[in-house]
Coordinates of all heavy atoms in Angstrom, one line a residue:
A29 N -54.3 105.9 4.6 CA -54.4 104.6 5.3 C -53.5 103.5 4.7 O -53.0 102.7 5.3 CB -55.8 104.2 5.6
N30 N -53.5 103.6 3.3 CA -52.7 102.5 2.7 C -51.3 102.8 2.2 O -50.7 102.1 1.5 CB -53.5 102.0 1.4 CG -53.8 103.0 0.4 OD1 -53.2 104.1 0.5 ND2 -54.7 102.8 -0.5
G31 N -50.8 104.0 2.7 CA -49.4 104.4 2.4 C -49.1 104.8 1.1 O -47.9 104.8 0.7
V32 N -50.0 105.3 0.3 CA -49.7 105.7 -1.1 C -49.8 107.2 -1.3 O -49.7 107.7 -2.4 CB -50.5 105.0 -2.2 CG1 -50.3 103.5 -2.2 CG2 -52.0 105.3 -2.0
A33 N -50.1 107.9 -0.2 CA -50.3 109.4 -0.3 C -49.2 110.2 -0.9 O -49.5 111.2 -1.6 CB -50.6 110.0 1.1
E34 N -48.0 109.7 -0.8 CA -46.9 110.4 -1.5 C -46.7 110.1 -3.0 O -46.1 110.9 -3.7 CB -45.6 110.1 -0.7 CG -45.6 110.7 0.7 CD -44.2 110.4 1.4 OE1 -43.2 110.2 0.7 OE2 -44.2 110.5 2.6
S35 N -47.3 109.1 -3.4 CA -47.2 108.7 -4.9 C -48.5 108.8 -5.7 O -48.4 108.6 -6.9 CB -46.6 107.3 -5.0 OG -47.5 106.3 -4.4
V36 N -49.6 109.0 -5.0 CA -50.9 109.1 -5.7 C -51.5 110.5 -5.4 O -51.6 110.9 -4.3 CB -51.8 108.0 -5.2 CG1 -53.2 108.2 -5.9 CG2 -51.3 106.6 -5.6
R37 N -51.9 111.1 -6.5 CA -52.6 112.4 -6.4 C -54.0 112.2 -6.9 O -54.2 111.9 -8.1 CB -51.9 113.5 -7.1 CG -52.5 114.8 -7.0 CD -51.6 115.9 -7.7 NE -52.3 117.1 -7.6 CZ -51.9 118.1 -8.4 NH1 -50.9 118.0 -9.2 NH2 -52.6 119.3 -8.3
V38 N -55.0 112.4 -6.1 CA -56.4 112.3 -6.5 C -57.0 113.7 -6.6 O -56.9 114.5 -5.8 CB -57.2 111.4 -5.5 CG1 -58.7 111.3 -5.9 CG2 -56.6 110.0 -5.4
M39 N -57.7 113.9 -7.8 CA -58.4 115.2 -8.0 C -59.8 114.9 -8.4 O -60.1 113.9 -9.0 CB -57.7 116.0 -9.1 CG -56.3 116.4 -8.7 SD -55.4 117.2 -10.1 CE -55.0 115.8 -11.1
L40 N -60.7 115.8 -8.0 CA -62.1 115.7 -8.3 C -62.6 117.0 -8.9 O -62.2 118.1 -8.4 CB -62.9 115.4 -7.0 CG -64.4 115.4 -7.1 CD1 -64.9 114.2 -8.0 CD2 -65.0 115.3 -5.7
G41 N -63.3 116.9 -10.0 CA -63.8 118.2 -10.5 C -63.9 118.1 -12.1 O -63.5 117.1 -12.7
S42 N -64.3 119.2 -12.6 CA -64.4 119.3 -14.1 C -63.0 119.6 -14.6 O -62.1 119.9 -13.9 CB -65.3 120.4 -14.5 OG -64.8 121.7 -14.1
L43 N -62.9 119.5 -16.0 CA -61.6 119.9 -16.6 C -61.1 121.3 -16.2 O -60.0 121.5 -15.9 CB -61.6 119.7 -18.1 CG -61.7 118.3 -18.6 CD1 -61.9 118.3 -20.1 CD2 -60.5 117.5 -18.3
E44 N -62.1 122.2 -16.2 CA -61.8 123.6 -15.8 C -61.3 123.7 -14.4 O -60.4 124.5 -14.0 CB -63.0 124.5 -16.1 CG -63.4 124.6 -17.5 CD -64.2 123.4 -18.0 OE1 -64.9 122.7 -17.2 OE2 -64.2 123.2 -19.2
D45 N -61.9 122.9 -13.5 CA -61.6 123.0 -12.1 C -60.1 122.5 -11.8 O -59.5 123.0 -10.9 CB -62.5 122.0 -11.2 CG -63.9 122.5 -11.2 OD1 -64.2 123.7 -11.4 OD2 -64.8 121.7 -10.9
I46 N -59.6 121.6 -12.6 CA -58.3 121.1 -12.4 C -57.3 121.5 -13.5 O -56.3 120.8 -13.6 CB -58.3 119.6 -12.1 CG1 -59.1 118.9 -13.3 CG2 -59.0 119.2 -10.8 CD1 -59.2 117.4 -13.1
D47 N -57.6 122.5 -14.2 CA -56.8 123.0 -15.2 C -55.4 123.4 -14.6 O -55.3 123.9 -13.5 CB -57.4 124.2 -15.9 CG -56.7 124.6 -17.2 OD1 -56.2 123.7 -17.9 OD2 -56.6 125.8 -17.5
G48 N -54.4 123.1 -15.4 CA -53.0 123.4 -14.9 C -52.4 122.3 -14.0 O -51.3 122.5 -13.5
A49 N -53.1 121.2 -13.9 CA -52.7 120.1 -13.0 C -51.7 119.2 -13.7 O -51.4 118.1 -13.2 CB -53.8 119.4 -12.4
G50 N -51.4 119.4 -14.9 CA -50.5 118.6 -15.7 C -51.2 117.4 -16.4 O -52.4 117.5 -16.5
N51 N -50.5 116.4 -16.8 CA -51.1 115.3 -17.5 C -51.2 114.1 -16.5 O -50.4 114.0 -15.6 CB -50.3 114.9 -18.7 CG -50.4 115.9 -19.8 OD1 -51.3 116.7 -19.8 ND2 -49.6 115.8 -20.8
W52 N -52.1 113.2 -16.8 CA -52.5 112.2 -15.8 C -52.2 110.8 -16.3 O -52.3 110.5 -17.5 CB -53.9 112.3 -15.4 CG -54.3 113.7 -15.1 CD1 -53.7 114.5 -14.2 CD2 -55.4 114.5 -15.7 NE1 -54.4 115.7 -14.1 CE2 -55.4 115.7 -15.0 CE3 -56.3 114.2 -16.7 CZ2 -56.3 116.7 -15.4 CZ3 -57.2 115.2 -17.0 CH2 -57.2 116.5 -16.3
D53 N -51.8 109.9 -15.4 CA -51.6 108.5 -15.7 C -52.9 107.8 -15.8 O -53.0 106.8 -16.6 CB -50.7 107.8 -14.6 CG -49.4 108.4 -14.5 OD1 -48.7 108.6 -15.6 OD2 -48.9 108.7 -13.4
L54 N -53.9 108.2 -15.1 CA -55.2 107.5 -15.0 C -56.3 108.4 -14.8 O -56.2 109.3 -13.9 CB -55.2 106.4 -13.9 CG -56.5 105.7 -13.6 CD1 -56.8 104.8 -14.8 CD2 -56.3 104.9 -12.3
V55 N -57.4 108.3 -15.6 CA -58.6 109.1 -15.5 C -59.7 108.1 -15.3 O -59.9 107.2 -16.1 CB -58.8 110.0 -16.7 CG1 -60.2 110.7 -16.6 CG2 -57.7 111.0 -16.8
L56 N -60.6 108.3 -14.3 CA -61.8 107.5 -14.1 C -63.0 108.4 -14.3 O -63.1 109.5 -13.7 CB -61.8 106.9 -12.7 CG -60.6 106.1 -12.3 CD1 -60.7 105.7 -10.8 CD2 -60.5 104.9 -13.1
A57 N -63.8 108.0 -15.2 CA -65.0 108.8 -15.5 C -66.2 107.9 -15.4 O -66.6 107.2 -16.4 CB -64.9 109.5 -16.9
N58 N -66.9 107.9 -14.3 CA -68.1 107.0 -14.1 C -69.3 107.9 -14.1 O -69.8 108.4 -13.1 CB -68.0 106.2 -12.8 CG -69.1 105.3 -12.6 OD1 -69.8 104.9 -13.5 ND2 -69.4 105.0 -11.3
I59 N -69.7 108.2 -15.3 CA -70.9 109.1 -15.5 C -71.5 108.8 -16.8 O -71.0 108.0 -17.6 CB -70.3 110.6 -15.4 CG1 -71.4 111.6 -15.2 CG2 -69.5 110.9 -16.6 CD1 -71.0 112.9 -14.6
L60 N -72.6 109.4 -17.1 CA -73.4 109.0 -18.3 C -72.6 109.4 -19.6 O -71.8 110.3 -19.6 CB -74.7 109.7 -18.3 CG -75.7 109.2 -17.1 CD1 -76.9 110.0 -17.1 CD2 -76.0 107.7 -17.2
A61 N -72.9 108.7 -20.6 CA -72.2 108.9 -21.9 C -72.2 110.3 -22.4 O -71.2 110.8 -22.9 CB -72.8 107.9 -23.0
P62 N -73.3 111.1 -22.4 CA -73.2 112.4 -22.9 C -72.2 113.3 -22.2 O -71.5 114.1 -22.8 CB -74.6 113.0 -22.7 CG -75.5 111.8 -22.7 CD -74.7 110.7 -22.0
V63 N -72.0 113.1 -20.9 CA -71.0 113.8 -20.1 C -69.6 113.4 -20.5 O -68.7 114.2 -20.7 CB -71.2 113.7 -18.6 CG1 -70.2 114.5 -17.8 CG2 -72.6 114.2 -18.3
I64 N -69.4 112.1 -20.7 CA -68.1 111.6 -21.1 C -67.8 112.1 -22.5 O -66.6 112.6 -22.7 CB -68.1 110.0 -21.1 CG1 -68.2 109.5 -19.7 CG2 -66.8 109.5 -21.8 CD1 -68.4 108.0 -19.6
L65 N -68.7 112.2 -23.4 CA -68.5 112.7 -24.7 C -68.1 114.2 -24.6 O -67.2 114.6 -25.3 CB -69.8 112.5 -25.5 CG -69.7 113.0 -27.0 CD1 -68.6 112.2 -27.7 CD2 -71.1 112.8 -27.7
E66 N -68.8 114.9 -23.8 CA -68.5 116.3 -23.6 C -67.0 116.5 -23.0 O -66.3 117.4 -23.5 CB -69.5 117.0 -22.6 CG -69.3 118.5 -22.4 CD -70.3 119.0 -21.4 OE1 -71.5 118.7 -21.6 OE2 -69.9 119.8 -20.5
L67 N -66.6 115.6 -22.1 CA -65.3 115.7 -21.6 C -64.2 115.4 -22.7 O -63.2 116.1 -22.8 CB -65.1 114.7 -20.4 CG -65.8 115.0 -19.1 CD1 -65.8 113.8 -18.2 CD2 -65.2 116.3 -18.5
L68 N -64.5 114.4 -23.5 CA -63.6 114.1 -24.6 C -63.5 115.2 -25.6 O -62.4 115.6 -26.0 CB -64.1 112.8 -25.3 CG -63.9 111.5 -24.5 CD1 -64.6 110.4 -25.1 CD2 -62.4 111.2 -24.4
Q69 N -64.6 115.8 -25.9 CA -64.7 117.0 -26.8 C -64.0 118.2 -26.2 O -63.5 119.0 -26.9 CB -66.1 117.3 -27.2 CG -66.7 116.2 -28.1 CD -68.2 116.4 -28.3 OE1 -68.9 117.1 -27.5 NE2 -68.7 115.8 -29.3
G70 N -64.0 118.3 -24.9 CA -63.4 119.4 -24.2 C -61.9 119.3 -23.9 O -61.3 120.1 -23.3
G71 N -61.3 118.2 -24.4 CA -59.8 118.1 -24.2 C -59.3 117.0 -23.3 O -58.1 117.0 -23.0
L72 N -60.2 116.2 -22.7 CA -59.8 115.2 -21.8 C -58.6 114.3 -22.3 O -57.6 114.1 -21.6 CB -60.9 114.3 -21.4 CG -60.6 113.1 -20.4 CD1 -60.1 113.7 -19.1 CD2 -61.8 112.2 -20.3
A73 N -58.7 113.8 -23.5 CA -57.8 112.9 -24.1 C -56.4 113.5 -24.1 O -55.4 112.8 -23.9 CB -58.2 112.5 -25.5
S74 N -56.3 114.8 -24.4 CA -54.9 115.4 -24.5 C -54.3 115.6 -23.1 O -53.1 115.9 -23.0 CB -55.1 116.8 -25.1 OG -55.8 117.7 -24.3
R75 N -55.1 115.4 -22.0 CA -54.6 115.5 -20.7 C -54.0 114.2 -20.1 O -53.5 114.2 -19.0 CB -55.7 116.1 -19.7 CG -56.2 117.4 -20.1 CD -55.2 118.5 -20.0 NE -54.7 118.7 -18.7 CZ -55.2 119.4 -17.7 NH1 -56.4 120.0 -17.9 NH2 -54.6 119.5 -16.5
I76 N -54.2 113.1 -20.9 CA -53.8 111.8 -20.4 C -52.3 111.6 -20.9 O -52.0 111.8 -22.1 CB -54.7 110.7 -21.0 CG1 -56.1 110.9 -20.5 CG2 -54.1 109.3 -20.6 CD1 -57.1 110.0 -21.2
R77 N -51.5 111.3 -20.0 CA -50.0 111.1 -20.3 C -49.9 110.0 -21.3 O -50.6 109.0 -21.3 CB -49.3 110.8 -19.0 CG -47.8 110.6 -19.2 CD -47.1 110.6 -17.9 NE -47.1 111.9 -17.3 CZ -47.5 112.2 -16.0 NH1 -47.9 111.2 -15.2 NH2 -47.5 113.4 -15.6
P78 N -48.9 110.0 -22.3 CA -48.7 108.9 -23.2 C -48.5 107.6 -22.4 O -47.7 107.6 -21.4 CB -47.4 109.3 -23.9 CG -47.5 110.8 -24.0 CD -48.1 111.2 -22.6
G79 N -49.2 106.6 -22.7 CA -49.2 105.3 -22.0 C -50.2 105.3 -20.9 O -50.4 104.2 -20.3
G80 N -50.9 106.4 -20.6 CA -51.9 106.5 -19.6 C -53.2 105.9 -20.0 O -53.5 105.6 -21.2
L81 N -54.1 105.7 -19.0 CA -55.4 105.0 -19.2 C -56.5 106.0 -18.9 O -56.4 106.8 -18.0 CB -55.5 103.8 -18.3 CG -54.6 102.6 -18.6 CD1 -54.7 101.6 -17.5 CD2 -54.8 102.0 -19.9
V82 N -57.6 105.7 -19.6 CA -58.9 106.4 -19.2 C -59.9 105.3 -19.1 O -60.0 104.4 -20.0 CB -59.3 107.5 -20.2 CG1 -59.5 106.9 -21.6 CG2 -60.6 108.1 -19.8
V83 N -60.6 105.2 -18.0 CA -61.7 104.2 -17.7 C -63.0 105.0 -17.7 O -63.3 105.8 -16.9 CB -61.5 103.5 -16.4 CG1 -62.6 102.5 -16.1 CG2 -60.1 102.8 -16.3
C84 N -63.8 104.7 -18.7 CA -65.1 105.3 -18.9 C -66.2 104.3 -18.6 O -66.3 103.3 -19.2 CB -65.3 105.9 -20.3 SG -64.1 107.1 -20.8
S85 N -67.0 104.6 -17.5 CA -68.0 103.6 -17.1 C -69.3 104.4 -16.9 O -69.4 105.6 -16.9 CB -67.6 102.8 -15.9 OG -67.3 103.7 -14.8
G86 N -70.4 103.6 -16.7 CA -71.7 104.2 -16.6 C -72.3 104.4 -17.9 O -73.2 105.3 -18.1
I87 N -71.9 103.7 -18.9 CA -72.3 103.9 -20.3 C -73.4 102.9 -20.7 O -73.1 101.7 -20.5 CB -71.1 103.8 -21.3 CG1 -70.0 104.8 -20.9 CG2 -71.6 104.0 -22.7 CD1 -68.7 104.5 -21.6
I88 N -74.5 103.3 -21.2 CA -75.5 102.4 -21.6 C -75.0 101.8 -22.9 O -74.4 102.4 -23.8 CB -76.9 103.2 -21.9 CG1 -77.4 103.8 -20.5 CG2 -77.9 102.2 -22.5 CD1 -78.5 104.7 -20.7
A89 N -75.2 100.5 -23.1 CA -74.6 99.7 -24.1 C -74.8 100.3 -25.5 O -73.9 100.3 -26.3 CB -75.2 98.3 -24.1
E90 N -76.0 100.8 -25.8 CA -76.2 101.3 -27.2 C -75.4 102.6 -27.4 O -75.3 103.1 -28.5 CB -77.7 101.5 -27.4 CG -78.4 102.5 -26.5 CD -79.7 102.0 -26.0 OE1 -80.0 100.8 -26.1 OE2 -80.5 102.9 -25.5
Q91 N -74.9 103.3 -26.3 CA -74.2 104.5 -26.5 C -72.7 104.3 -26.5 O -71.9 105.2 -26.8 CB -74.5 105.5 -25.3 CG -75.9 105.9 -25.4 CD -76.3 106.7 -24.1 OE1 -75.8 106.5 -23.1 NE2 -77.2 107.7 -24.3
A92 N -72.2 103.0 -26.2 CA -70.8 102.7 -26.2 C -70.1 103.0 -27.5 O -69.0 103.5 -27.5 CB -70.6 101.3 -25.7
P93 N -70.7 102.6 -28.7 CA -70.0 102.9 -29.9 C -69.6 104.3 -30.1 O -68.6 104.7 -30.7 CB -70.9 102.3 -31.0 CG -71.7 101.3 -30.3 CD -71.9 101.8 -28.9
T94 N -70.5 105.2 -29.7 CA -70.3 106.7 -29.9 C -69.1 107.1 -29.0 O -68.3 107.9 -29.5 CB -71.6 107.5 -29.4 OG1 -72.6 107.1 -30.3 CG2 -71.3 108.9 -29.6
I95 N -69.0 106.6 -27.8 CA -67.9 106.9 -26.9 C -66.6 106.4 -27.4 O -65.6 107.0 -27.5 CB -68.2 106.5 -25.5 CG1 -69.5 107.1 -24.9 CG2 -67.0 106.8 -24.6 CD1 -69.4 108.7 -24.9
Q96 N -66.7 105.1 -27.9 CA -65.5 104.5 -28.4 C -65.0 105.2 -29.6 O -63.8 105.5 -29.8 CB -65.8 103.0 -28.8 CG -64.6 102.3 -29.2 CD -64.8 100.8 -29.4 OE1 -65.8 100.2 -28.9 NE2 -64.0 100.2 -30.2
A97 N -65.9 105.7 -30.5 CA -65.5 106.4 -31.7 C -64.8 107.8 -31.3 O -63.9 108.2 -31.9 CB -66.7 106.6 -32.6
A98 N -65.4 108.4 -30.3 CA -64.9 109.7 -29.8 C -63.5 109.5 -29.2 O -62.6 110.4 -29.4 CB -65.9 110.3 -28.8
M99 N -63.3 108.4 -28.5 CA -62.0 108.1 -27.9 C -61.0 108.0 -29.0 O -59.9 108.6 -29.0 CB -62.0 106.9 -27.0 CG -62.8 107.1 -25.8 SD -63.2 105.5 -24.9 CE -61.6 105.0 -24.4
L100 N -61.3 107.1 -30.0 CA -60.4 106.8 -31.1 C -60.1 108.1 -31.9 O -58.9 108.3 -32.3 CB -61.0 105.8 -32.0 CG -60.2 105.3 -33.2 CD1 -58.9 104.7 -32.6 CD2 -60.9 104.2 -34.0
K101 N -61.1 108.9 -32.2 CA -60.9 110.2 -32.9 C -59.8 111.1 -32.2 O -59.1 111.8 -32.9 CB -62.2 110.9 -33.0 CG -62.1 112.2 -33.8 CD -63.5 112.9 -33.9 CE -63.4 114.2 -34.7 NZ -64.7 114.8 -34.8
R102 N -59.7 110.9 -30.9 CA -58.8 111.8 -30.1 C -57.5 111.0 -29.7 O -56.8 111.4 -28.9 CB -59.5 112.3 -28.9 CG -60.5 113.4 -29.3 CD -61.6 113.6 -28.4 NE -62.6 114.6 -28.9 CZ -63.6 114.3 -29.8 NH1 -63.8 113.1 -30.2 NH2 -64.3 115.2 -30.2
G103 N -57.3 109.9 -30.4 CA -56.0 109.2 -30.2 C -56.0 108.2 -29.1 O -54.9 107.7 -28.7
I104 N -57.2 107.9 -28.5 CA -57.2 106.9 -27.4 C -57.7 105.6 -27.9 O -58.7 105.5 -28.5 CB -58.2 107.4 -26.3 CG1 -57.8 108.8 -25.8 CG2 -58.3 106.4 -25.2 CD1 -56.5 108.8 -25.1
L105 N -56.8 104.6 -27.8 CA -57.1 103.2 -28.3 C -57.8 102.4 -27.3 O -57.5 102.4 -26.1 CB -55.8 102.6 -28.7 CG -54.9 103.3 -29.7 CD1 -53.7 102.6 -30.0 CD2 -55.7 103.6 -31.0
L106 N -58.8 101.6 -27.8 CA -59.5 100.7 -26.9 C -58.6 99.6 -26.3 O -58.0 98.9 -27.1 CB -60.7 100.2 -27.6 CG -61.7 99.4 -26.7 CD1 -62.4 100.3 -25.6 CD2 -62.7 98.7 -27.5
A107 N -58.5 99.5 -25.0 CA -57.7 98.5 -24.4 C -58.5 97.4 -23.8 O -58.1 96.2 -23.8 CB -56.8 99.1 -23.3
A108 N -59.8 97.7 -23.5 CA -60.7 96.7 -22.9 C -62.1 97.2 -23.0 O -62.3 98.4 -22.9 CB -60.3 96.3 -21.5
R109 N -63.0 96.3 -23.1 CA -64.5 96.6 -23.0 C -65.1 95.6 -22.1 O -65.0 94.4 -22.4 CB -65.1 96.5 -24.4 CG -66.6 96.9 -24.5 CD -67.1 96.7 -25.9 NE -68.4 97.2 -26.0 CZ -69.6 96.7 -25.7 NH1 -69.5 95.5 -25.0 NH2 -70.7 97.2 -25.9
K110 N -65.8 96.0 -21.1 CA -66.5 95.1 -20.2 C -68.0 95.5 -20.2 O -68.3 96.7 -20.3 CB -66.0 95.3 -18.8 CG -64.5 95.1 -18.6 CD -64.1 93.6 -18.8 CE -62.6 93.5 -18.6 NZ -62.2 92.2 -18.7
Q111 N -68.8 94.5 -20.2 CA -70.3 94.8 -20.1 C -71.0 93.9 -19.1 O -70.7 92.6 -19.1 CB -70.9 94.6 -21.5 CG -72.4 94.9 -21.6 CD -72.9 95.0 -23.0 OE1 -72.2 95.0 -23.9 NE2 -74.3 95.0 -23.1
I112 N -71.8 94.4 -18.3 CA -72.7 93.7 -17.4 C -74.1 94.2 -17.7 O -74.4 95.4 -17.5 CB -72.3 93.9 -15.9 CG1 -70.9 93.4 -15.7 CG2 -73.3 93.3 -15.0 CD1 -70.4 93.7 -14.3
R113 N -74.9 93.3 -18.2 CA -76.3 93.6 -18.6 C -76.2 94.8 -19.6 O -75.6 94.7 -20.6 CB -77.2 93.9 -17.4 CG -77.5 92.6 -16.6 CD -78.4 92.8 -15.5 NE -77.9 93.7 -14.4 CZ -77.1 93.3 -13.5 NH1 -76.6 92.1 -13.4 NH2 -76.7 94.1 -12.5
D114 N -76.9 95.9 -19.3 CA -76.9 97.0 -20.3 C -75.8 98.1 -20.0 O -75.8 99.1 -20.7 CB -78.3 97.8 -20.2 CG -79.4 96.9 -20.7 OD1 -79.1 96.0 -21.4 OD2 -80.6 97.2 -20.2
W115 N -74.9 97.8 -19.1 CA -73.9 98.8 -18.7 C -72.5 98.4 -19.2 O -72.1 97.3 -19.1 CB -73.8 99.0 -17.2 CG -75.1 99.6 -16.7 CD1 -76.1 98.9 -16.1 CD2 -75.5 100.9 -16.7 NE1 -77.1 99.8 -15.7 CE2 -76.8 101.0 -16.2 CE3 -74.9 102.1 -17.3 CZ2 -77.5 102.2 -16.1 CZ3 -75.6 103.3 -17.2 CH2 -76.9 103.4 -16.6
V116 N -71.8 99.4 -19.8 CA -70.5 99.1 -20.4 C -69.5 100.0 -19.8 O -69.7 101.2 -19.4 CB -70.6 99.5 -21.9 CG1 -69.2 99.4 -22.6 CG2 -71.6 98.5 -22.6
T117 N -68.3 99.4 -19.7 CA -67.1 100.2 -19.3 C -66.1 100.0 -20.4 O -65.8 98.9 -20.9 CB -66.4 99.6 -18.0 OG1 -67.3 99.7 -16.9 CG2 -65.1 100.2 -17.7
L118 N -65.5 101.2 -20.8 CA -64.5 101.2 -21.9 C -63.2 101.7 -21.2 O -63.2 102.7 -20.6 CB -64.9 102.1 -23.0 CG -66.2 101.8 -23.8 CD1 -66.5 102.9 -24.7 CD2 -66.1 100.5 -24.5
V119 N -62.2 100.9 -21.5 CA -60.8 101.3 -21.0 C -60.0 101.6 -22.2 O -59.8 100.8 -23.1 CB -60.2 100.1 -20.2 CG1 -58.8 100.5 -19.7 CG2 -61.0 99.7 -19.1
G120 N -59.5 102.9 -22.2 CA -58.7 103.3 -23.3 C -57.3 103.7 -22.9 O -57.0 104.0 -21.8
R121 N -56.3 103.5 -23.8 CA -54.9 103.9 -23.6 C -54.5 104.9 -24.6 O -54.7 104.7 -25.8 CB -54.1 102.6 -23.6 CG -52.6 102.9 -23.3 CD -51.7 101.7 -23.3 NE -52.1 100.7 -22.4 CZ -51.8 100.7 -21.1 NH1 -51.0 101.7 -20.6 NH2 -52.2 99.8 -20.2
R122 N -53.8 105.9 -24.1 CA -53.1 106.8 -25.0 C -51.8 106.2 -25.4 O -51.0 105.9 -24.5 CB -52.9 108.2 -24.4 CG -52.3 109.2 -25.4 CD -52.3 110.5 -24.8 NE -51.7 111.4 -25.7 CZ -51.2 112.6 -25.3 NH1 -51.2 113.0 -24.1 NH2 -50.6 113.3 -26.2
P123 N -51.5 106.0 -26.7 CA -50.3 105.3 -27.1 C -49.1 106.1 -26.6 O -49.1 107.3 -26.5 CB -50.3 105.4 -28.6 CG -51.8 105.5 -29.0 CD -52.4 106.3 -27.9
S124 N -48.0 105.3 -26.2 CA -46.8 105.9 -25.7 C -45.8 106.3 -26.7 O -44.9 107.0 -26.5 CB -46.2 105.0 -24.7 OG -45.9 103.8 -25.3
D125 N -46.1 106.0 -28.0 CA -45.2 106.3 -29.1 C -45.5 107.6 -29.8 O -45.2 107.8 -30.9 CB -45.1 105.1 -30.0 CG -46.4 104.8 -30.6 OD1 -47.5 105.2 -30.2 OD2 -46.4 104.0 -31.6
E126 N -46.3 108.5 -29.2 CA -46.7 109.7 -29.8 C -45.6 110.7 -29.8 O -44.8 110.8 -28.9 CB -47.9 110.3 -29.2 CG -49.2 109.5 -29.4 CD -50.4 110.2 -28.9 OE1 -50.4 111.4 -28.6 OE2 -51.4 109.5 -28.8

């Protein structure tokens, strides 16, 4: 309806479900921290194109440091952190100079 169908590709599923789909400019993960951690440990960060973003939300504030550390360990740098009450969103960027 908004005329972006030729330039935007949206996929839904686990990493295994969309294996072979290439690298991505943007990943949105709005799910609990343990699942985000599992995705990061399963190779999510390596699927983000250099310069690409990952937005992780649905994180309870006390679990945010664990997710942030897991992102950093896999080469994803924190670009932004937003918090509303007990819920945190972490925005990470894969450096483009890799």
Side-chain angles (χ1 to χ4, degrees):
N30 59 13
V32 298
E34 291 184 24
S35 61
V36 174
R37 183 174 175 198
V38 177
M39 295 177 282
L40 174 68
S42 68
L43 287 175
E44 295 81 23
D45 292 341
I46 52 181
D47 192 34
N51 288 345
W52 311 306
D53 297 314
L54 175 65
V55 172
L56 304 173
N58 182 25
I59 197 158
L60 297 175
V63 178
I64 294 171
L65 185 58
E66 183 179 315
L67 289 168
L68 288 166
Q69 292 169 340
L72 175 66
S74 66
R75 301 296 300 277
I76 300 167
R77 183 170 287 130
L81 295 172
V82 57
V83 179
C84 300
S85 58
I87 303 168
I88 298 170
E90 62 224 18
Q91 296 173 329
T94 300
I95 301 301
Q96 186 174 338
M99 291 167 66
L100 186 58
K101 181 177 180 180
R102 288 155 183 87
I104 302 297
L105 304 178
L106 187 66
R109 182 186 190 279
K110 305 287 182 181
Q111 182 169 347
I112 298 175
R113 292 182 295 281
D114 293 337
W115 295 101
V116 173
T117 296
L118 299 173
V119 179
R121 179 178 301 277
R122 183 171 177 201
S124 57
D125 58 349
E126 291 187 13

